[in-house]
Amino acid sequence: MSSTTDVLGTSAAQARSRELEELIRKDPGQFRVLTGDRPTGRLHLGHYFGTLHNRVRLQDLGVETFVLVADYQVLTDRDVAENLTEYVEELVLDYLAIGIDPDRSTIFTHSAVPALNQLLLPFLSLVSVAELNRNPTVKDEIAHSRQSAVSGLMFTYPVHQAADILFCRANLVPVGQDQLPHLEITRTVARRFNDRYGHGTPVFPQPEALLSTAPLLLGTDGTKMSKSRGNAVSLSADADETARLIRGAKTDAERHISYDPATRPEVSSLVLLAALCEETDPVQVAAEIGDGGGAALKRRVTDSVNAYLAPIRARRAAYAEDRRLVRDVLRAGNERANAIAEATLRDVRAAMNADY
Ligand code: TRP
């Protein structure tokens, strides 16, 4: 997706993200984070080191955090209807297992928040069809879609995403680069709404992206990590399944292990994975393995992944025993999200002179 990123100035977003990190450390109370995932099944290590870990960190720094299960948005590109309940529950279990704390963070499903969804209508009036048409991430998804026809939701979900973010007036959105075009639409919607209806008092903040600094992990076959490619270790996999996947990982012909992502992407991604789990430096991990070769590397990665995930997997198994837990977490989160969305919708209708 590199073509999307240059257009939208990834390096500017990265520079701004570093400034934001400073501001968060100084005063976490001035930020409200909203972020979320499509419920497409169990989360894997790519999700974990790419974004999930960062969310828990922000929560633990004291930033108020909203975590959205995007159960409407998932209808854009997959035929998940039959499995939706299961996928939503799996996602919430993963959240709880990695340390998202429902007492401090609001976990909710956007389909259960009518006032959030109602924001979509005035928001749609603020963007042109041409703007929706040129969203590079949507174009990419259409190109890779397995559905036979492109749905209206596919074109409009970035505006729905603006409602996800603006309903709670979040000002910080931790995302990957592919989400930058969507965040741009959110900012445009906020700005145009304020210009048209704000009468000098902005109704919405213009939220900013917080890009993760974590380098990209590849799947075990050396391509993008993805559940549907069978090349990802899911957080909830057991130790044996993890060992089997890593044993089958692609490496290269050179025995000596080094960390060189540009020329040895597969080997380097494995080294990086071990380093992330051990909270150490990949160059050092590679040096320690040295002439041990691919087999030693894979043993090291397997051990460090299994050790790292052990407490997460134990928590997940304990939570999964109690089927009511997920329901209760969502009920409480949805209630809170509804109260906030209703208040925002009242403000929106008042600003629009639709206060009857
Ligand atoms: N589009 C995001 C994804 O595919 C999920 C999402 C929906 C989201 N609404 C959001 C992310 C709001 C951040 C903020 O992963």
Side-chain angles (χ1 to χ4, degrees):
M1 250 166 243
S2 52
S3 59
T4 60
T5 55
D6 304 23
V7 182
L8 284 139
T10 305
S11 52
Q14 271 160 352
R16 180 61 186 150
S17 294
R18 281 192 290 276
E19 284 172 17
L20 285 167
E21 287 291 349
E22 260 319 291
L23 296 170
I24 294 165
R25 252 190 303 280
K26 281 199 201 114
D27 186 8
Q30 55 168 304
F31 293 98
R32 180 179 268 187
V33 158
L34 181 128
T35 177
D37 303 281
R38 304 177 193 211
T40 58
R42 297 173 180 219
L43 296 170
H44 56 62
L45 284 170
H47 296 125
Y48 183 79
F49 286 114
T51 60
L52 301 170
H53 186 58
N54 198 29
R55 282 183 212 168
V56 178
R57 184 182 64 91
L58 291 168
Q59 167 195 274
D60 293 347
L61 281 171
V63 180
E64 190 183 7
T65 302
F66 286 73
V67 183
L68 156 73
V69 176
D71 58 343
Y72 269 157
Q73 200 172 104
V74 79
L75 303 176
T76 50
D77 56 357
R78 277 170 218 243
D79 196 11
V80 290
E82 290 160 51
N83 298 319
L84 198 56
T85 309
E86 182 197 329
Y87 286 175
V88 168
E89 290 182 353
E90 297 292 354
L91 184 55
V92 175
L93 278 177
D94 281 333
Y95 286 160
L96 298 175
I98 61 163
I100 292 178
D101 173 3
D103 290 333
R104 286 181 289 162
S105 295
T106 302
I107 303 174
F108 70 104
T109 49
H110 58 185
S111 74
V113 188
L116 178 160
N117 291 295
Q118 190 172 329
L119 294 175
L120 178 62
L121 294 175
F123 286 2
L124 278 172
S125 76
L126 297 169
V127 295
S128 71
V129 171
E131 281 169 321
L132 295 177
N133 254 322
R134 32 168 204 270
N135 185 305
T137 298
V138 172
K139 278 194 202 165
D140 196 68
E141 281 165 350
I142 289 173
H144 291 99
S145 171
R146 283 173 300 211
Q147 295 195 345
S148 52
V150 177
S151 71
L153 186 59
M154 183 60 111
F155 280 110
T156 52
Y157 88 78
V159 187
H160 193 232
Q161 189 155 332
D164 292 337
I165 296 167
L166 296 176
F167 94 92
C168 66
R169 297 184 164 98
N171 54 6
L172 199 60
V173 186
V175 283
Q177 291 174 358
D178 64 316
Q179 299 290 307
L180 289 178
H182 301 346
L183 202 71
E184 232 12 78
I185 291 187
T186 299
R187 291 167 59 81
T188 301
V189 165
R191 192 175 59 246
R192 289 185 188 157
F193 191 94
N194 292 338
D195 287 350
R196 190 174 299 178
Y197 302 113
H199 315 291
T201 324
V203 177
F204 292 114
Q206 277 199 58
E208 297 194 82
L210 186 68
L211 286 177
S212 143
T213 49
L216 202 67
L217 281 172
L218 299 174
T220 51
D221 58 357
T223 72
K224 182 179 147 68
M225 197 185 284
S226 151
K227 189 182 67 115
S228 59
R229 300 183 191 199
N231 65 0
V233 176
S234 67
L235 301 181
S236 54
D238 63 25
D240 290 344
E241 196 183 336
T242 303
R244 188 171 45 73
L245 257 170
I246 294 171
R247 211 178 306 119
K250 192 170 169 209
T251 52
D252 57 31
E254 199 180 319
R255 177 161 184 92
H256 187 81
I257 299 302
S258 59
Y259 182 66
D260 192 349
T263 58
R264 304 183 73 187
E266 298 92 353
V267 162
S268 299
S269 186
L270 286 169
V271 170
L272 175 64
L273 179 52
L276 287 168
C277 290
E278 295 170 23
E279 290 168 14
T280 170
D281 177 37
V283 175
Q284 191 188 325
V285 170
E288 283 165 16
I289 299 167
D291 291 327
L297 171 62
K298 289 176 182 180
R299 274 197 302 278
R300 170 89 173 245
V301 176
T302 302
D303 290 347
S304 53
V305 168
N306 280 334
Y308 188 88
L309 290 181
I312 292 177
R313 289 167 170 168
R315 271 198 300 273
R316 196 184 193 285
Y319 292 143
E321 292 273 291
D322 178 3
R323 273 300 170 190
R324 282 228 317 272
L325 176 73
V326 167
R327 298 278 166 158
D328 289 348
V329 164
L330 283 179
R331 190 169 317 114
N334 286 339
E335 201 174 303
R336 186 168 146 65
N338 269 297
I340 294 171
E342 281 158 23
T344 303
L345 183 60
R346 272 198 297 279
D347 293 347
V348 162
R349 299 190 71 210
M352 295 174 72
N353 282 321
D355 204 3
Y356 21 75

